[in-house]
Amino acid sequence: MQDTKIDLLLAEMRKLNVALERLAGPERAVNDWEAAECFVWVPQTHWLQPVTKPNRIEMGLIRGVDHVRDILHDNTLRFARGFPANNVLLWGARGMGKSSLVKAVHAAVSNETGVRVKLVEVHREDIATLPALMDILKKAPVPVLVFCDDLSFDHDDTSYKSLKAVLDGGIEGRPDNVLLYATSNRRHLLPRDMMENEQSTAINPSEAVEEKVSLSDRFGLWLGFYKCSQDDYLAMIDGYAAHVGIDIETEKLHAEALEWSTTRGSRSGRVAFQFIQDLAGRYEKKIELG
């Protein structure tokens, strides 16, 4: 009888232990900065998931954005060398290489300086967990670029406040070894009526209106990307074709590339690369851009 009571008690204790483990959530992961140069933030376990083979292209293959490329490169170079640098918002036309440029510049600066700069991607839906990520990154032995691609916020989304706190520094301040790069298709990340709501609750509304309280103001650098001209588009095509090693007459290459862009209804770096993928497949060529 006594053994039966003990067995029942142990069974109840096991149930209680399982319930407590569920409440506590999954165990935190152990992060290894030596595992890779690029990582993806997994907030559920506070894990920086290594990306051993990043999806990126060489910086020399990104055409038509020379001015913003140089600005981003210089800013990243200063950061890698331990000097002051700005958070950056890359905004503008779709498919013009905003995210590709961030990844390419990261690789180029790491190679040039020999500094092990790490790139950590934060998915849009995980923006609210940025404070937890900052707590991990401030202890990192290396400089870290935090990257969020295709960033924007909806009317009922309050996670932008976490990003604003990180950009503004908050009470603790952004770690010296961390910089934030984000891409977006629009310059003002918040819908206009959200910005107006923030203005209406400001202590001095007139100053708030002049300042246009918006999230994008917190980025020190705004780099604009615009729709490319036909010449820029064809320069992208030429660069990709030469890199892949496709043997085709220039006149024929340009004619097919222009026809491809017409069917897509736009010209951009993304459209140029999609055409090269199709062309490389027809010519049975492998594409290695990283």
Side-chain angles (χ1 to χ4, degrees), residues 45-187:
T45 54
H46 286 212
W47 187 37
L48 296 171
Q49 178 182 341
V51 180
T52 55
K53 191 175 181 180
N55 176 27
R56 61 188 177 196
I57 66 176
E58 295 177 5
M59 193 163 67
L61 290 173
I62 301 176
R63 308 291 180 88
V65 291
D66 295 5
H67 180 60
V68 293
R69 177 199 63 200
D70 293 343
I71 294 174
L72 186 66
H73 178 267
D74 290 345
N75 190 70
T76 311
L77 196 61
R78 291 194 295 270
F79 173 64
R81 290 174 172 166
F83 297 110
N86 274 304
N87 300 313
V88 183
L89 174 63
L90 300 87
W91 68 277
R94 299 176 184 273
M96 282 304 295
K98 296 185 292 293
S99 60
S100 295
L101 185 60
V102 170
K103 291 179 283 187
V105 164
H106 164 253
V109 167
S110 295
N111 291 334
E112 290 173 28
T113 62
V115 178
R116 297 178 305 126
V117 181
K118 304 298 181 177
L119 183 69
V120 175
E121 181 173 9
V122 178
H123 292 148
R124 163 63 192 83
E125 59 270 20
D126 296 328
I127 288 296
T129 66
L130 272 176
L133 175 60
M134 290 299 119
D135 190 52
I136 293 174
L137 298 186
K138 69 183 180 182
K139 304 168 187 174
V142 290
V144 182
L145 288 174
V146 174
F147 172 51
C148 185
D149 192 23
D150 198 18
L151 184 63
S152 63
F153 297 91
D154 298 326
H155 296 79
D156 56 349
D157 191 346
T158 60
S159 63
Y160 75 94
K161 294 181 180 179
S162 296
L163 179 57
K164 182 183 288 187
V166 171
L167 291 170
D168 277 342
I171 191 170
E172 188 174 5
R174 173 173 55 83
D176 292 335
N177 66 322
V178 177
L179 212 56
L180 285 90
Y181 286 1
T183 70
S184 178
N185 292 323
R186 61 190 186 198
R187 187 178 67 178

